Amino acid sequence: MASMLRRITAEDRREAADALDDLKATLAYAGTQLPSPGIDWQCASVTGIVLIDLGAAPTSVVVQIVDVLRAGVRARREQADQQPWYPAVGATVTLHAPGGVPLAAKVVGANEKLITVRLDSWLTP
């Protein structure tokens, strides 16, 4: 039974090992580390569920990890706020012809790379 479960959980065990390596490398890059992380191989061989044990850590280490996580969340939010803006389909926009003449236009297509408009009027000076 155990050998069959080992075959079934082989990919999960590899993913767990990779995830733990990534976590340790990321924390090391941020200047901190968990004192005793590991993978609970015994649980995987009995239940089929691979658990990553983050171990016991002193408060100072947990505070450092929380700081790293907060910085990452903050960076993601700031990045999301800086996404390029483009008008929605159906919106009315004003374009400017040479000489500053305003042109009313309706957005008929928009995505992250291209905005298609239909001029509602052409004003000539």
Side-chain angles (χ1 to χ4, degrees):
M1 174 71 175
S3 63
M4 182 185 297
L5 195 53
R6 283 188 61 78
R7 282 193 308 264
I8 292 170
T9 61
E11 182 62 27
D12 293 340
R13 288 183 284 117
R14 278 190 291 276
E15 286 177 6
D18 289 345
L20 182 57
D21 286 345
D22 286 347
L23 175 64
K24 290 177 0 182
T26 301
L27 290 176
Y29 182 76
T32 191
Q33 66 181 20
L34 288 166
S36 57
I39 298 174
D40 187 345
W41 302 115
Q42 186 64 30
C43 182
S45 66
V46 174
T47 65
I49 299 170
V50 181
L51 300 176
I52 298 174
D53 184 358
L54 300 179
T59 302
S60 60
V61 170
V62 174
V63 168
Q64 290 174 345
I65 293 170
V66 168
D67 288 344
V68 169
L69 292 172
R70 284 184 179 149
V73 169
R74 191 171 19 259
R76 275 194 175 176
R77 285 186 180 165
E78 289 170 1
Q79 183 181 17
D81 291 343
Q82 295 176 0
Q83 294 298 319
W85 174 86
Y86 52 90
V89 173
T92 302
V93 295
T94 302
L95 305 176
H96 295 280
V101 177
L103 301 171
K106 184 165 215 125
V107 177
V108 293
N111 62 37
E112 295 177 8
K113 296 181 181 180
L114 179 68
I115 298 171
T116 307
V117 296
R118 182 188 77 233
L119 291 176
D120 289 336
S121 64
W122 178 261
L123 302 175
T124 55

